[in-house]
Amino acid sequence: GQSLEQPSEVTAVEGAIVQINCTYQTSGFYGLSWYQQHDGGAPTFLSYNALDGLEETGRFSSFLSRSDSYGYLLLQELQMKDSASYFCAVSGQGGKLIFGQGTELSVKP
Amino acid sequence: DGGITQSPKYLFRKEGQNVTLSCEQNLNHDAMYWYRQDPGQGLRLIYYSQIVNDFQKGDIAEGYSVSREKKESFPLTVTSAQKNPTAFYLCASSLGESSYNEQFFGPGTRLTVL
């Protein structure tokens, strides 16, 4: 079957750096995506890794190791507005996404 | 502005009634998706369509039906056969069926069955 694991909750302070890990077991793996969802809102795309290594987009970076079936999202210079749920998602055949359960990030002042 | 619209935002229905959730996109995307999200959970795929007049079941299709008669529209019907329909329903679209395409989500419909 297909499964993804990520921590359910993470807490950090404003200005800090936080890493959200994601491990996966899946067939037909094409890449790992990250989405952000504020409470009650629509998920929005943050990043995508198809190859091993680090992708950087502003304050957010995402890493993938295909051999370890592992990736992470790194958020730097945390701001209060970064408080949200973060989902990793595996891309499969036909554009399908399989989502993890989500990590709720709380940023404290 | 291009985007995805879902209506209504909140929907209440009595148990045993079918209900249809609307999803429209003007992004000229070929692929469209329906997800269900329960409190504190991830998104689970109900149905998806990669092209007009074709759609496939996702992981939790039982009790749901869809149609894709137009590229812009992908309505979801929650039937009385769905045992626990109260949830947040999200529609998404993407460019196509290549191995990766960013999915764009609508604002969602929160369905409550009384």
Side-chain angles (χ1 to χ4, degrees), chain A residues 30 35 37 40-43 45 48 87 91 94-101, chain B residues 33 35 37 41-43 48 50 59 88 97-100 102-103 105-106 110:
Chain A
Y30 287 94
Y35 284 77
Q37 184 182 33
F45 172 81
Y48 173 73
F87 296 89
S91 297
K96 289 173 55 177
L97 288 178
I98 307 297
F99 284 83
Q101 297 289 296
Chain B
Y33 310 82
Y35 295 92
Q37 186 175 32
Q41 300 295 313
L43 284 69
Y48 65 106
Q50 294 167 341
D59 299 320
F88 187 42
E97 66 172 273
S98 64
S99 59
Y100 165 69
E102 173 186 348
Q103 291 190 12
F105 285 83
R110 199 167 295 276

PDB file of all heavy atoms in Angstrom, chain A residues 30 35 37 40-43 45 48 87 91 94-101, chain B residues 33 35 37 41-43 48 50 59 88 97-100 102-103 105-106 110:
ATOM      1  N   TYR A  30       6.923   9.568  -8.199  1.00  0.00           N
ATOM      2  CA  TYR A  30       7.458  10.538  -9.146  1.00  0.00           C
ATOM      3  C   TYR A  30       8.075  11.737  -8.441  1.00  0.00           C
ATOM      4  O   TYR A  30       8.962  12.400  -8.978  1.00  0.00           O
ATOM      5  CB  TYR A  30       6.365  11.029 -10.093  1.00  0.00           C
ATOM      6  CG  TYR A  30       5.954   9.996 -11.114  1.00  0.00           C
ATOM      7  CD1 TYR A  30       4.876   9.144 -10.883  1.00  0.00           C
ATOM      8  CD2 TYR A  30       6.650   9.858 -12.302  1.00  0.00           C
ATOM      9  CE1 TYR A  30       4.510   8.197 -11.809  1.00  0.00           C
ATOM     10  CE2 TYR A  30       6.291   8.909 -13.243  1.00  0.00           C
ATOM     11  CZ  TYR A  30       5.215   8.080 -12.985  1.00  0.00           C
ATOM     12  OH  TYR A  30       4.849   7.130 -13.896  1.00  0.00           O
ATOM     13  N   TYR A  35       2.409  21.170   0.728  1.00  0.00           N
ATOM     14  CA  TYR A  35       1.304  22.112   0.678  1.00  0.00           C
ATOM     15  C   TYR A  35       1.090  22.710   2.060  1.00  0.00           C
ATOM     16  O   TYR A  35       1.298  22.050   3.081  1.00  0.00           O
ATOM     17  CB  TYR A  35       0.011  21.415   0.220  1.00  0.00           C
ATOM     18  CG  TYR A  35      -0.035  21.143  -1.267  1.00  0.00           C
ATOM     19  CD1 TYR A  35       0.681  20.082  -1.812  1.00  0.00           C
ATOM     20  CD2 TYR A  35      -0.770  21.955  -2.120  1.00  0.00           C
ATOM     21  CE1 TYR A  35       0.650  19.831  -3.180  1.00  0.00           C
ATOM     22  CE2 TYR A  35      -0.816  21.715  -3.491  1.00  0.00           C
ATOM     23  CZ  TYR A  35      -0.095  20.657  -4.009  1.00  0.00           C
ATOM     24  OH  TYR A  35      -0.125  20.418  -5.365  1.00  0.00           O
ATOM     25  N   GLN A  37      -1.774  24.712   4.513  1.00  0.00           N
ATOM     26  CA  GLN A  37      -3.195  24.963   4.675  1.00  0.00           C
ATOM     27  C   GLN A  37      -3.443  25.710   5.978  1.00  0.00           C
ATOM     28  O   GLN A  37      -3.182  25.174   7.052  1.00  0.00           O
ATOM     29  CB  GLN A  37      -3.991  23.654   4.654  1.00  0.00           C
ATOM     30  CG  GLN A  37      -5.507  23.854   4.714  1.00  0.00           C
ATOM     31  CD  GLN A  37      -6.273  22.543   4.751  1.00  0.00           C
ATOM     32  OE1 GLN A  37      -5.816  21.554   5.305  1.00  0.00           O
ATOM     33  NE2 GLN A  37      -7.464  22.533   4.145  1.00  0.00           N
ATOM     34  N   GLY A  40      -9.205  26.064   7.986  1.00  0.00           N
ATOM     35  CA  GLY A  40     -10.436  26.272   7.243  1.00  0.00           C
ATOM     36  C   GLY A  40     -10.262  26.709   5.813  1.00  0.00           C
ATOM     37  O   GLY A  40     -11.244  26.957   5.116  1.00  0.00           O
ATOM     38  N   GLY A  41      -8.999  26.811   5.359  1.00  0.00           N
ATOM     39  CA  GLY A  41      -8.762  27.315   4.019  1.00  0.00           C
ATOM     40  C   GLY A  41      -8.383  26.253   3.014  1.00  0.00           C
ATOM     41  O   GLY A  41      -8.406  25.054   3.309  1.00  0.00           O
ATOM     42  N   ALA A  42      -8.044  26.703   1.828  1.00  0.00           N
ATOM     43  CA  ALA A  42      -7.624  25.801   0.759  1.00  0.00           C
ATOM     44  C   ALA A  42      -6.126  25.542   0.858  1.00  0.00           C
ATOM     45  O   ALA A  42      -5.352  26.448   1.159  1.00  0.00           O
ATOM     46  CB  ALA A  42      -7.948  26.413  -0.593  1.00  0.00           C
ATOM     47  N   PRO A  43      -5.687  24.317   0.598  1.00  0.00           N
ATOM     48  CA  PRO A  43      -4.247  24.058   0.546  1.00  0.00           C
ATOM     49  C   PRO A  43      -3.603  24.840  -0.591  1.00  0.00           C
ATOM     50  O   PRO A  43      -4.204  25.005  -1.663  1.00  0.00           O
ATOM     51  CB  PRO A  43      -4.174  22.555   0.274  1.00  0.00           C
ATOM     52  CG  PRO A  43      -5.496  22.012   0.700  1.00  0.00           C
ATOM     53  CD  PRO A  43      -6.481  23.108   0.411  1.00  0.00           C
ATOM     54  N   PHE A  45       0.186  25.276  -2.780  1.00  0.00           N
ATOM     55  CA  PHE A  45       1.429  24.613  -3.127  1.00  0.00           C
ATOM     56  C   PHE A  45       2.624  25.401  -2.601  1.00  0.00           C
ATOM     57  O   PHE A  45       2.678  26.634  -2.707  1.00  0.00           O
ATOM     58  CB  PHE A  45       1.508  24.494  -4.645  1.00  0.00           C
ATOM     59  CG  PHE A  45       2.822  24.005  -5.166  1.00  0.00           C
ATOM     60  CD1 PHE A  45       3.117  22.654  -5.173  1.00  0.00           C
ATOM     61  CD2 PHE A  45       3.761  24.898  -5.664  1.00  0.00           C
ATOM     62  CE1 PHE A  45       4.319  22.198  -5.660  1.00  0.00           C
ATOM     63  CE2 PHE A  45       4.961  24.452  -6.158  1.00  0.00           C
ATOM     64  CZ  PHE A  45       5.245  23.098  -6.156  1.00  0.00           C
ATOM     65  N   TYR A  48       8.158  21.316  -4.681  1.00  0.00           N
ATOM     66  CA  TYR A  48       8.138  19.976  -5.267  1.00  0.00           C
ATOM     67  C   TYR A  48       9.566  19.518  -5.499  1.00  0.00           C
ATOM     68  O   TYR A  48      10.402  20.274  -6.003  1.00  0.00           O
ATOM     69  CB  TYR A  48       7.371  19.990  -6.585  1.00  0.00           C
ATOM     70  CG  TYR A  48       7.427  18.703  -7.359  1.00  0.00           C
ATOM     71  CD1 TYR A  48       6.722  17.590  -6.930  1.00  0.00           C
ATOM     72  CD2 TYR A  48       8.187  18.597  -8.527  1.00  0.00           C
ATOM     73  CE1 TYR A  48       6.764  16.400  -7.639  1.00  0.00           C
ATOM     74  CE2 TYR A  48       8.230  17.408  -9.237  1.00  0.00           C
ATOM     75  CZ  TYR A  48       7.511  16.314  -8.796  1.00  0.00           C
ATOM     76  OH  TYR A  48       7.546  15.135  -9.495  1.00  0.00           O
ATOM     77  N   PHE A  87       1.370  19.708   4.683  1.00  0.00           N
ATOM     78  CA  PHE A  87       1.160  18.352   4.199  1.00  0.00           C
ATOM     79  C   PHE A  87       2.235  17.984   3.189  1.00  0.00           C
ATOM     80  O   PHE A  87       2.506  18.755   2.260  1.00  0.00           O
ATOM     81  CB  PHE A  87      -0.200  18.226   3.512  1.00  0.00           C
ATOM     82  CG  PHE A  87      -1.370  18.450   4.419  1.00  0.00           C
ATOM     83  CD1 PHE A  87      -1.890  19.714   4.599  1.00  0.00           C
ATOM     84  CD2 PHE A  87      -1.954  17.381   5.090  1.00  0.00           C
ATOM     85  CE1 PHE A  87      -2.969  19.926   5.442  1.00  0.00           C
ATOM     86  CE2 PHE A  87      -3.038  17.589   5.932  1.00  0.00           C
ATOM     87  CZ  PHE A  87      -3.548  18.863   6.113  1.00  0.00           C
ATOM     88  N   SER A  91       3.582  12.212  -5.436  1.00  0.00           N
ATOM     89  CA  SER A  91       3.000  12.224  -6.789  1.00  0.00           C
ATOM     90  C   SER A  91       3.102  10.845  -7.395  1.00  0.00           C
ATOM     91  O   SER A  91       4.180  10.243  -7.408  1.00  0.00           O
ATOM     92  CB  SER A  91       3.744  13.214  -7.680  1.00  0.00           C
ATOM     93  OG  SER A  91       3.627  14.517  -7.200  1.00  0.00           O
ATOM     94  N   GLY A  94      -0.422   9.528 -13.369  1.00  0.00           N
ATOM     95  CA  GLY A  94      -1.654  10.217 -13.718  1.00  0.00           C
ATOM     96  C   GLY A  94      -1.884  11.497 -12.951  1.00  0.00           C
ATOM     97  O   GLY A  94      -2.985  12.038 -12.964  1.00  0.00           O
ATOM     98  N   GLY A  95      -0.851  12.020 -12.296  1.00  0.00           N
ATOM     99  CA  GLY A  95      -1.008  13.277 -11.571  1.00  0.00           C
ATOM    100  C   GLY A  95      -1.661  13.150 -10.215  1.00  0.00           C
ATOM    101  O   GLY A  95      -1.951  14.148  -9.558  1.00  0.00           O
ATOM    102  N   LYS A  96      -1.918  11.925  -9.782  1.00  0.00           N
ATOM    103  CA  LYS A  96      -2.538  11.749  -8.478  1.00  0.00           C
ATOM    104  C   LYS A  96      -1.587  12.150  -7.359  1.00  0.00           C
ATOM    105  O   LYS A  96      -0.382  11.959  -7.453  1.00  0.00           O
ATOM    106  CB  LYS A  96      -2.914  10.277  -8.275  1.00  0.00           C
ATOM    107  CG  LYS A  96      -4.058   9.801  -9.126  1.00  0.00           C
ATOM    108  CD  LYS A  96      -4.257   8.299  -8.982  1.00  0.00           C
ATOM    109  CE  LYS A  96      -4.436   7.865  -7.547  1.00  0.00           C
ATOM    110  NZ  LYS A  96      -4.692   6.401  -7.451  1.00  0.00           N
ATOM    111  N   LEU A  97      -2.153  12.706  -6.296  1.00  0.00           N
ATOM    112  CA  LEU A  97      -1.398  13.022  -5.086  1.00  0.00           C
ATOM    113  C   LEU A  97      -1.932  12.188  -3.931  1.00  0.00           C
ATOM    114  O   LEU A  97      -3.145  12.095  -3.738  1.00  0.00           O
ATOM    115  CB  LEU A  97      -1.510  14.499  -4.735  1.00  0.00           C
ATOM    116  CG  LEU A  97      -0.779  15.513  -5.613  1.00  0.00           C
ATOM    117  CD1 LEU A  97      -1.066  16.920  -5.125  1.00  0.00           C
ATOM    118  CD2 LEU A  97       0.717  15.243  -5.602  1.00  0.00           C
ATOM    119  N   ILE A  98      -1.023  11.606  -3.171  1.00  0.00           N
ATOM    120  CA  ILE A  98      -1.375  10.924  -1.925  1.00  0.00           C
ATOM    121  C   ILE A  98      -0.820  11.780  -0.808  1.00  0.00           C
ATOM    122  O   ILE A  98       0.392  12.000  -0.731  1.00  0.00           O
ATOM    123  CB  ILE A  98      -0.774   9.513  -1.859  1.00  0.00           C
ATOM    124  CG1 ILE A  98      -1.139   8.703  -3.094  1.00  0.00           C
ATOM    125  CG2 ILE A  98      -1.218   8.821  -0.571  1.00  0.00           C
ATOM    126  CD1 ILE A  98      -2.620   8.460  -3.264  1.00  0.00           C
ATOM    127  N   PHE A  99      -1.708  12.265   0.073  1.00  0.00           N
ATOM    128  CA  PHE A  99      -1.322  13.201   1.109  1.00  0.00           C
ATOM    129  C   PHE A  99      -1.024  12.504   2.427  1.00  0.00           C
ATOM    130  O   PHE A  99      -1.662  11.506   2.783  1.00  0.00           O
ATOM    131  CB  PHE A  99      -2.442  14.218   1.346  1.00  0.00           C
ATOM    132  CG  PHE A  99      -2.538  15.274   0.299  1.00  0.00           C
ATOM    133  CD1 PHE A  99      -3.227  15.039  -0.879  1.00  0.00           C
ATOM    134  CD2 PHE A  99      -1.929  16.504   0.477  1.00  0.00           C
ATOM    135  CE1 PHE A  99      -3.316  16.017  -1.861  1.00  0.00           C
ATOM    136  CE2 PHE A  99      -2.013  17.487  -0.487  1.00  0.00           C
ATOM    137  CZ  PHE A  99      -2.708  17.247  -1.658  1.00  0.00           C
ATOM    138  N   GLY A 100      -0.081  13.086   3.176  1.00  0.00           N
ATOM    139  CA  GLY A 100       0.129  12.682   4.556  1.00  0.00           C
ATOM    140  C   GLY A 100      -0.965  13.274   5.436  1.00  0.00           C
ATOM    141  O   GLY A 100      -1.823  14.019   4.968  1.00  0.00           O
ATOM    142  N   GLN A 101      -0.898  12.948   6.737  1.00  0.00           N
ATOM    143  CA  GLN A 101      -1.931  13.393   7.665  1.00  0.00           C
ATOM    144  C   GLN A 101      -1.787  14.857   8.055  1.00  0.00           C
ATOM    145  O   GLN A 101      -2.701  15.444   8.629  1.00  0.00           O
ATOM    146  CB  GLN A 101      -1.880  12.544   8.943  1.00  0.00           C
ATOM    147  CG  GLN A 101      -2.166  11.076   8.699  1.00  0.00           C
ATOM    148  CD  GLN A 101      -3.613  10.822   8.369  1.00  0.00           C
ATOM    149  OE1 GLN A 101      -4.502  11.051   9.183  1.00  0.00           O
ATOM    150  NE2 GLN A 101      -3.881  10.369   7.153  1.00  0.00           N
TER     151      GLN A 101
ATOM    152  N   TYR B  33      -9.901  17.147  -9.603  1.00  0.00           N
ATOM    153  CA  TYR B  33      -9.862  16.178  -8.506  1.00  0.00           C
ATOM    154  C   TYR B  33     -10.869  16.581  -7.433  1.00  0.00           C
ATOM    155  O   TYR B  33     -11.111  17.768  -7.209  1.00  0.00           O
ATOM    156  CB  TYR B  33      -8.469  16.154  -7.863  1.00  0.00           C
ATOM    157  CG  TYR B  33      -7.321  16.018  -8.835  1.00  0.00           C
ATOM    158  CD1 TYR B  33      -6.815  17.124  -9.511  1.00  0.00           C
ATOM    159  CD2 TYR B  33      -6.737  14.776  -9.078  1.00  0.00           C
ATOM    160  CE1 TYR B  33      -5.764  16.995 -10.398  1.00  0.00           C
ATOM    161  CE2 TYR B  33      -5.683  14.647  -9.965  1.00  0.00           C
ATOM    162  CZ  TYR B  33      -5.202  15.756 -10.624  1.00  0.00           C
ATOM    163  OH  TYR B  33      -4.156  15.631 -11.511  1.00  0.00           O
ATOM    164  N   TYR B  35     -11.386  15.865  -3.239  1.00  0.00           N
ATOM    165  CA  TYR B  35     -10.826  15.314  -2.011  1.00  0.00           C
ATOM    166  C   TYR B  35     -11.820  15.505  -0.866  1.00  0.00           C
ATOM    167  O   TYR B  35     -12.613  16.448  -0.859  1.00  0.00           O
ATOM    168  CB  TYR B  35      -9.525  16.029  -1.619  1.00  0.00           C
ATOM    169  CG  TYR B  35      -8.389  15.841  -2.575  1.00  0.00           C
ATOM    170  CD1 TYR B  35      -8.176  16.739  -3.613  1.00  0.00           C
ATOM    171  CD2 TYR B  35      -7.497  14.777  -2.417  1.00  0.00           C
ATOM    172  CE1 TYR B  35      -7.113  16.573  -4.490  1.00  0.00           C
ATOM    173  CE2 TYR B  35      -6.432  14.610  -3.284  1.00  0.00           C
ATOM    174  CZ  TYR B  35      -6.254  15.517  -4.312  1.00  0.00           C
ATOM    175  OH  TYR B  35      -5.197  15.352  -5.177  1.00  0.00           O
ATOM    176  N   GLN B  37     -11.715  15.928   3.382  1.00  0.00           N
ATOM    177  CA  GLN B  37     -10.837  16.150   4.531  1.00  0.00           C
ATOM    178  C   GLN B  37     -11.680  16.111   5.795  1.00  0.00           C
ATOM    179  O   GLN B  37     -12.667  16.841   5.927  1.00  0.00           O
ATOM    180  CB  GLN B  37     -10.109  17.500   4.425  1.00  0.00           C
ATOM    181  CG  GLN B  37      -9.073  17.705   5.513  1.00  0.00           C
ATOM    182  CD  GLN B  37      -8.289  18.986   5.330  1.00  0.00           C
ATOM    183  OE1 GLN B  37      -8.790  19.980   4.824  1.00  0.00           O
ATOM    184  NE2 GLN B  37      -7.016  18.965   5.743  1.00  0.00           N
ATOM    185  N   GLN B  41      -7.156  15.685   9.752  1.00  0.00           N
ATOM    186  CA  GLN B  41      -6.683  14.644   8.846  1.00  0.00           C
ATOM    187  C   GLN B  41      -6.159  15.228   7.546  1.00  0.00           C
ATOM    188  O   GLN B  41      -6.383  16.399   7.225  1.00  0.00           O
ATOM    189  CB  GLN B  41      -7.824  13.674   8.529  1.00  0.00           C
ATOM    190  CG  GLN B  41      -8.397  12.987   9.746  1.00  0.00           C
ATOM    191  CD  GLN B  41      -7.397  12.074  10.417  1.00  0.00           C
ATOM    192  OE1 GLN B  41      -6.720  11.280   9.765  1.00  0.00           O
ATOM    193  NE2 GLN B  41      -7.272  12.194  11.736  1.00  0.00           N
ATOM    194  N   GLY B  42      -5.509  14.380   6.794  1.00  0.00           N
ATOM    195  CA  GLY B  42      -5.066  14.771   5.469  1.00  0.00           C
ATOM    196  C   GLY B  42      -6.189  14.703   4.459  1.00  0.00           C
ATOM    197  O   GLY B  42      -7.346  14.455   4.806  1.00  0.00           O
ATOM    198  N   LEU B  43      -5.828  14.916   3.213  1.00  0.00           N
ATOM    199  CA  LEU B  43      -6.807  14.890   2.129  1.00  0.00           C
ATOM    200  C   LEU B  43      -6.843  13.495   1.513  1.00  0.00           C
ATOM    201  O   LEU B  43      -5.802  12.911   1.212  1.00  0.00           O
ATOM    202  CB  LEU B  43      -6.420  15.894   1.033  1.00  0.00           C
ATOM    203  CG  LEU B  43      -6.679  17.370   1.325  1.00  0.00           C
ATOM    204  CD1 LEU B  43      -5.779  17.912   2.409  1.00  0.00           C
ATOM    205  CD2 LEU B  43      -6.518  18.177   0.051  1.00  0.00           C
ATOM    206  N   TYR B  48     -11.115  11.459  -9.638  1.00  0.00           N
ATOM    207  CA  TYR B  48     -10.360  12.390 -10.441  1.00  0.00           C
ATOM    208  C   TYR B  48     -10.652  12.178 -11.916  1.00  0.00           C
ATOM    209  O   TYR B  48     -11.088  11.103 -12.334  1.00  0.00           O
ATOM    210  CB  TYR B  48      -8.857  12.316 -10.151  1.00  0.00           C
ATOM    211  CG  TYR B  48      -8.186  11.016 -10.507  1.00  0.00           C
ATOM    212  CD1 TYR B  48      -7.367  10.907 -11.619  1.00  0.00           C
ATOM    213  CD2 TYR B  48      -8.327   9.898  -9.686  1.00  0.00           C
ATOM    214  CE1 TYR B  48      -6.722   9.718 -11.927  1.00  0.00           C
ATOM    215  CE2 TYR B  48      -7.693   8.708  -9.992  1.00  0.00           C
ATOM    216  CZ  TYR B  48      -6.889   8.627 -11.105  1.00  0.00           C
ATOM    217  OH  TYR B  48      -6.260   7.443 -11.409  1.00  0.00           O
ATOM    218  N   GLN B  50      -8.984  13.172 -15.807  1.00  0.00           N
ATOM    219  CA  GLN B  50      -7.840  13.712 -16.543  1.00  0.00           C
ATOM    220  C   GLN B  50      -8.266  14.334 -17.862  1.00  0.00           C
ATOM    221  O   GLN B  50      -7.480  15.043 -18.504  1.00  0.00           O
ATOM    222  CB  GLN B  50      -6.814  12.609 -16.785  1.00  0.00           C
ATOM    223  CG  GLN B  50      -6.190  12.111 -15.492  1.00  0.00           C
ATOM    224  CD  GLN B  50      -5.416  10.824 -15.667  1.00  0.00           C
ATOM    225  OE1 GLN B  50      -5.600  10.099 -16.631  1.00  0.00           O
ATOM    226  NE2 GLN B  50      -4.553  10.522 -14.717  1.00  0.00           N
ATOM    227  N   ASP B  59      -9.362   6.761  -3.763  1.00  0.00           N
ATOM    228  CA  ASP B  59      -9.244   5.801  -2.666  1.00  0.00           C
ATOM    229  C   ASP B  59     -10.550   5.593  -1.893  1.00  0.00           C
ATOM    230  O   ASP B  59     -10.720   4.571  -1.242  1.00  0.00           O
ATOM    231  CB  ASP B  59      -8.164   6.277  -1.689  1.00  0.00           C
ATOM    232  CG  ASP B  59      -6.809   6.380  -2.373  1.00  0.00           C
ATOM    233  OD1 ASP B  59      -6.487   5.487  -3.182  1.00  0.00           O
ATOM    234  OD2 ASP B  59      -6.082   7.354  -2.108  1.00  0.00           O
ATOM    235  N   PHE B  88     -15.278  18.195   5.045  1.00  0.00           N
ATOM    236  CA  PHE B  88     -14.850  19.337   4.236  1.00  0.00           C
ATOM    237  C   PHE B  88     -14.435  18.783   2.882  1.00  0.00           C
ATOM    238  O   PHE B  88     -13.567  17.905   2.811  1.00  0.00           O
ATOM    239  CB  PHE B  88     -13.690  20.037   4.947  1.00  0.00           C
ATOM    240  CG  PHE B  88     -13.243  21.332   4.337  1.00  0.00           C
ATOM    241  CD1 PHE B  88     -14.167  22.265   3.886  1.00  0.00           C
ATOM    242  CD2 PHE B  88     -11.902  21.645   4.249  1.00  0.00           C
ATOM    243  CE1 PHE B  88     -13.764  23.474   3.347  1.00  0.00           C
ATOM    244  CE2 PHE B  88     -11.483  22.857   3.708  1.00  0.00           C
ATOM    245  CZ  PHE B  88     -12.411  23.769   3.256  1.00  0.00           C
ATOM    246  N   GLU B  97      -2.055  15.184 -16.976  1.00  0.00           N
ATOM    247  CA  GLU B  97      -1.748  13.906 -16.354  1.00  0.00           C
ATOM    248  C   GLU B  97      -0.256  13.589 -16.347  1.00  0.00           C
ATOM    249  O   GLU B  97       0.119  12.475 -16.072  1.00  0.00           O
ATOM    250  CB  GLU B  97      -2.494  12.791 -17.068  1.00  0.00           C
ATOM    251  CG  GLU B  97      -2.024  12.576 -18.494  1.00  0.00           C
ATOM    252  CD  GLU B  97      -2.652  11.335 -19.109  1.00  0.00           C
ATOM    253  OE1 GLU B  97      -2.086  10.257 -18.925  1.00  0.00           O
ATOM    254  OE2 GLU B  97      -3.691  11.463 -19.753  1.00  0.00           O
ATOM    255  N   SER B  98       0.596  14.537 -16.634  1.00  0.00           N
ATOM    256  CA  SER B  98       2.029  14.251 -16.547  1.00  0.00           C
ATOM    257  C   SER B  98       2.380  13.902 -15.110  1.00  0.00           C
ATOM    258  O   SER B  98       1.609  14.142 -14.198  1.00  0.00           O
ATOM    259  CB  SER B  98       2.843  15.439 -17.026  1.00  0.00           C
ATOM    260  OG  SER B  98       2.632  16.541 -16.177  1.00  0.00           O
ATOM    261  N   SER B  99       3.540  13.398 -14.937  1.00  0.00           N
ATOM    262  CA  SER B  99       3.892  12.825 -13.643  1.00  0.00           C
ATOM    263  C   SER B  99       3.824  13.819 -12.502  1.00  0.00           C
ATOM    264  O   SER B  99       3.641  13.471 -11.359  1.00  0.00           O
ATOM    265  CB  SER B  99       5.301  12.241 -13.721  1.00  0.00           C
ATOM    266  OG  SER B  99       6.221  13.265 -14.074  1.00  0.00           O
ATOM    267  N   TYR B 100       4.004  15.048 -12.808  1.00  0.00           N
ATOM    268  CA  TYR B 100       3.809  16.062 -11.781  1.00  0.00           C
ATOM    269  C   TYR B 100       3.118  17.276 -12.382  1.00  0.00           C
ATOM    270  O   TYR B 100       3.495  17.764 -13.422  1.00  0.00           O
ATOM    271  CB  TYR B 100       5.122  16.539 -11.183  1.00  0.00           C
ATOM    272  CG  TYR B 100       4.895  17.812 -10.424  1.00  0.00           C
ATOM    273  CD1 TYR B 100       4.169  17.800  -9.244  1.00  0.00           C
ATOM    274  CD2 TYR B 100       5.292  19.034 -10.945  1.00  0.00           C
ATOM    275  CE1 TYR B 100       3.879  18.970  -8.576  1.00  0.00           C
ATOM    276  CE2 TYR B 100       5.002  20.223 -10.281  1.00  0.00           C
ATOM    277  CZ  TYR B 100       4.293  20.179  -9.095  1.00  0.00           C
ATOM    278  OH  TYR B 100       4.000  21.331  -8.448  1.00  0.00           O
ATOM    279  N   GLU B 102       1.406  20.874 -10.339  1.00  0.00           N
ATOM    280  CA  GLU B 102       0.906  21.535  -9.149  1.00  0.00           C
ATOM    281  C   GLU B 102      -0.614  21.551  -9.189  1.00  0.00           C
ATOM    282  O   GLU B 102      -1.213  21.845 -10.225  1.00  0.00           O
ATOM    283  CB  GLU B 102       1.440  22.963  -9.096  1.00  0.00           C
ATOM    284  CG  GLU B 102       0.859  23.817  -7.988  1.00  0.00           C
ATOM    285  CD  GLU B 102       1.327  25.257  -8.087  1.00  0.00           C
ATOM    286  OE1 GLU B 102       2.268  25.528  -8.859  1.00  0.00           O
ATOM    287  OE2 GLU B 102       0.738  26.101  -7.401  1.00  0.00           O
ATOM    288  N   GLN B 103      -1.217  21.209  -8.055  1.00  0.00           N
ATOM    289  CA  GLN B 103      -2.673  21.248  -7.977  1.00  0.00           C
ATOM    290  C   GLN B 103      -3.119  22.548  -7.331  1.00  0.00           C
ATOM    291  O   GLN B 103      -2.550  22.989  -6.330  1.00  0.00           O
ATOM    292  CB  GLN B 103      -3.204  20.040  -7.210  1.00  0.00           C
ATOM    293  CG  GLN B 103      -3.006  18.738  -7.974  1.00  0.00           C
ATOM    294  CD  GLN B 103      -3.725  17.567  -7.369  1.00  0.00           C
ATOM    295  OE1 GLN B 103      -4.569  17.704  -6.480  1.00  0.00           O
ATOM    296  NE2 GLN B 103      -3.424  16.365  -7.861  1.00  0.00           N
ATOM    297  N   PHE B 105      -6.287  24.500  -5.583  1.00  0.00           N
ATOM    298  CA  PHE B 105      -7.484  24.120  -4.840  1.00  0.00           C
ATOM    299  C   PHE B 105      -8.511  25.236  -4.778  1.00  0.00           C
ATOM    300  O   PHE B 105      -8.171  26.421  -4.734  1.00  0.00           O
ATOM    301  CB  PHE B 105      -7.104  23.740  -3.403  1.00  0.00           C
ATOM    302  CG  PHE B 105      -6.445  22.390  -3.302  1.00  0.00           C
ATOM    303  CD1 PHE B 105      -5.088  22.238  -3.545  1.00  0.00           C
ATOM    304  CD2 PHE B 105      -7.194  21.273  -2.966  1.00  0.00           C
ATOM    305  CE1 PHE B 105      -4.484  20.989  -3.467  1.00  0.00           C
ATOM    306  CE2 PHE B 105      -6.598  20.022  -2.872  1.00  0.00           C
ATOM    307  CZ  PHE B 105      -5.246  19.893  -3.130  1.00  0.00           C
ATOM    308  N   GLY B 106      -9.775  24.824  -4.773  1.00  0.00           N
ATOM    309  CA  GLY B 106     -10.861  25.741  -4.494  1.00  0.00           C
ATOM    310  C   GLY B 106     -11.000  25.973  -3.001  1.00  0.00           C
ATOM    311  O   GLY B 106     -10.296  25.335  -2.207  1.00  0.00           O
ATOM    312  N   ARG B 110     -18.086  22.916   3.065  1.00  0.00           N
ATOM    313  CA  ARG B 110     -18.218  22.182   4.333  1.00  0.00           C
ATOM    314  C   ARG B 110     -19.629  21.627   4.407  1.00  0.00           C
ATOM    315  O   ARG B 110     -20.587  22.383   4.536  1.00  0.00           O
ATOM    316  CB  ARG B 110     -17.918  23.109   5.512  1.00  0.00           C
ATOM    317  CG  ARG B 110     -17.588  22.381   6.797  1.00  0.00           C
ATOM    318  CD  ARG B 110     -17.004  23.337   7.831  1.00  0.00           C
ATOM    319  NE  ARG B 110     -15.721  23.890   7.431  1.00  0.00           N
ATOM    320  CZ  ARG B 110     -14.547  23.294   7.597  1.00  0.00           C
ATOM    321  NH1 ARG B 110     -14.485  22.095   8.130  1.00  0.00           N
ATOM    322  NH2 ARG B 110     -13.435  23.904   7.222  1.00  0.00           N
TER     323      ARG B 110
END
